[in-house]
Amino acid sequence: MTKDNHILIKNIYYMLSYAFRVLKQGGYEKVAAEEFDHIHNLMAAILSVGIGRQIKRGLYREYISRKEDIPVARGKIDMMGSLKNLISRKRLLACEYDELSENNLLNQIIKTTVMSLLLHGEVKEEYKSDLKKEMLVFSNVDVIKPSAIRWSAIRFDRNNNEYRMLISLCQLVLQGLLQTTESGEYKLASFFNEEEMCRLYEKFILEFYVKECPQVKATASQIPWALDDDERTMLPLMQSDVTLTRGERVLIIDAKYYAKTTQEQYGAHTLHSNNLYQIFTYVKNKDAEFGSKPHTVSGMLLYAATDEAILPDCSYRMSGNRISAKTLDLNKDFSEIAAQLKAIVNEYFPKVV
């Protein structure tokens, strides 16, 4: 039987607010203070504020290619089309031209998401009312099929970078981020890509340490291979989720969000083999980077807790380095989550007396 990750609704907001720092800026204070009984109400409230902010800045527009029969030349004349019009005794020129329009993919995704929320039975009328007013500005924007959206193909630049957070939230809504299990709890929907939630979990942990633990340097740094020569052909990148550093002390954290935190064979529960091999490789290569200088490099697998009876909570000494596995319960009050994350820093980076 597959076990599930449980998350308090309020904690989803906290995770999003760290992952997207814009949620800590002006305009979102009301959302942070509210209590939500359904995930879609939370998403509707955040999107309402975000869309309102974007409307004040102006909707993103881009050039859209159009073909049209018009009485006056515009853009490039389509000779074959114009000849057909002439034969049909139509006094129109077939023209191809580019028009600056708000009816582009990014705005279409936002409108499609909002229309989905407006049709959702769990979204309260107060949030629907705000979204309906905002959609008046999107009157020239089309609604599209969510299944047709190629999320991986979306690119942001300096002209549309302000849409990054809104589009990410739209993706979570349209792909069915969460489903209710019982009062106050939500779990991953079976159709949602676990990898997407894992990325949010990774981003949250990194940004939490950046913001809340200034005594250490938190990065998602690459780890160089400890090679005996310079031959690097076909070697994969070693990209850490979170690397905490202070002086000669380093803790590499691999954040894992799985439906099952352990693997089971013949009734015995063990850590995922690939996870352990990966963190061990990261640690040993980082360890070699220091050479003969005094240092301490450790590694940690930090799993999001599930409702499994057995959860990882172990620590090992491997070839001179500490490798541990812990779980973070996202179904607890956020103050407890923050305390556990800070306790990890205090444990691995003790204050010098």
Side-chain angles (χ1 to χ4, degrees), residues 20-67:
F20 304 107
R21 296 184 188 181
V22 68
L23 291 182
K24 290 183 175 290
Q25 299 176 7
Y28 292 95
E29 297 88 349
K30 181 181 177 182
V31 178
E34 288 189 53
E35 292 294 332
F36 296 93
D37 58 356
H38 196 280
I39 181 61
H40 288 84
N41 282 322
L42 171 62
M43 291 299 190
I46 296 175
L47 282 172
S48 178
V49 174
I51 293 170
R53 285 164 58 96
Q54 191 58 54
I55 289 173
K56 290 179 180 178
R57 298 189 190 101
L59 296 185
Y60 168 65
R61 297 193 298 168
E62 63 183 39
Y63 283 101
I64 306 295
S65 295
R66 295 190 181 278
K67 292 183 179 181

Side-chain angles (χ1 to χ4, degrees), residues 257-268:
Y257 194 103
Y258 292 154
K260 298 189 71 173
T261 58
T262 61
Q263 59 188 16
E264 183 179 358
Q265 189 172 19
Y266 304 117

Side-chain angles (χ1 to χ4, degrees), residues 58-64 66 99-111 135-142 163:
L59 296 185
Y60 168 65
R61 297 193 298 168
E62 63 183 39
Y63 283 101
I64 306 295
R66 295 190 181 278
E99 183 178 61
L100 198 60
S101 172
E102 66 268 23
N103 191 21
N104 53 66
L105 179 60
L106 298 185
N107 289 324
Q108 290 169 356
I109 289 174
I110 290 175
K111 185 171 183 177
M135 284 303 100
L136 295 175
V137 183
F138 287 71
S139 58
N140 295 324
V141 177
D142 296 334
Y163 273 66

Side-chain angles (χ1 to χ4, degrees), residues 71-325:
V72 181
R74 182 179 180 183
K76 180 182 177 182
I77 297 176
D78 177 5
M79 296 304 297
M80 291 300 296
S82 297
L83 283 173
K84 288 181 180 179
N85 288 337
L86 183 61
I87 294 171
S88 303
R89 297 184 179 182
K90 295 179 181 178
R91 296 182 179 181
L92 298 172
L93 292 171
C95 298
E96 298 179 10
Y97 60 92
D98 292 335
E99 183 178 61
L100 198 60
S101 172
E102 66 268 23
N103 191 21
N104 53 66
L105 179 60
L106 298 185
N107 289 324
Q108 290 169 356
I109 289 174
I110 290 175
K111 185 171 183 177
T112 300
T113 304
V114 170
M115 298 309 293
S116 297
L117 289 172
L118 292 178
L119 294 172
H120 201 286
E122 296 292 341
V123 178
K124 291 183 178 178
E125 193 57 41
E126 59 183 287
Y127 304 122
K128 288 184 178 181
S129 178
D130 292 338
L131 290 171
K132 286 177 183 177
K133 292 175 184 177
E134 292 170 345
M135 284 303 100
L136 295 175
V137 183
F138 287 71
S139 58
N140 295 324
V141 177
D142 296 334
V143 174
I144 58 179
K145 290 184 178 180
S147 59
I149 301 172
R150 294 178 58 219
W151 299 100
S152 60
I154 297 175
R155 296 292 180 267
F156 296 95
D157 54 37
R158 62 181 181 178
N159 296 318
N160 60 20
N161 198 51
E162 293 173 340
Y163 273 66
R164 187 183 296 271
M165 185 272 291
L166 284 175
I167 297 302
S168 295
L169 291 178
C170 288
Q171 183 178 7
L172 295 180
V173 173
L174 292 178
Q175 290 187 333
L177 171 61
L178 303 168
Q179 288 183 328
T180 185
T181 57
E182 52 189 87
S183 179
E185 292 184 354
Y186 285 76
K187 68 178 181 180
L188 275 176
S190 59
F191 54 82
F192 184 71
N193 186 346
E194 192 174 68
E195 185 178 344
E196 294 293 333
M197 192 62 196
C198 186
R199 280 201 285 267
L200 175 60
Y201 180 57
E202 293 168 7
K203 183 69 172 173
F204 155 62
I205 294 173
L206 173 61
E207 295 299 332
F208 177 89
Y209 280 128
V210 170
K211 176 71 175 178
E212 306 297 342
C213 298
Q215 68 270 39
V216 294
K217 180 181 179 182
T219 61
S221 59
Q222 292 183 1
I223 300 166
W225 288 92
L227 302 173
D228 295 331
D229 54 29
D230 290 329
E231 180 54 52
R232 301 176 182 273
T233 304
M234 297 188 72
L235 281 177
L237 289 176
M238 286 191 287
Q239 179 69 55
S240 68
D241 295 338
V242 183
T243 297
L244 304 181
T245 307
R246 189 178 72 193
E248 77 288 350
R249 286 182 176 270
V250 178
L251 173 62
I252 301 171
I253 298 176
D254 220 8
K256 299 298 183 184
Y257 194 103
Y258 292 154
K260 298 189 71 173
T261 58
T262 61
Q263 59 188 16
E264 183 179 358
Q265 189 172 19
Y266 304 117
H269 290 262
T270 62
L271 298 174
H272 290 281
S273 303
N274 291 341
N275 295 170
L276 194 57
Y277 300 155
Q278 182 181 40
I279 193 66
F280 181 75
T281 302
Y282 285 4
V283 167
K284 296 312 294 184
N285 279 273
K286 186 67 178 179
D287 192 50
E289 191 178 332
F290 283 90
S292 60
K293 294 187 296 184
H295 64 278
T296 302
V297 178
S298 304
M300 177 183 292
L301 296 170
L302 187 55
Y303 293 92
T306 68
D307 57 5
E308 293 173 285
I310 299 176
L311 295 173
D313 185 12
C314 43
S315 183
Y316 311 95
R317 297 295 302 184
M318 296 183 178
S319 301
N321 301 92
R322 181 181 176 186
I323 306 291
S324 60

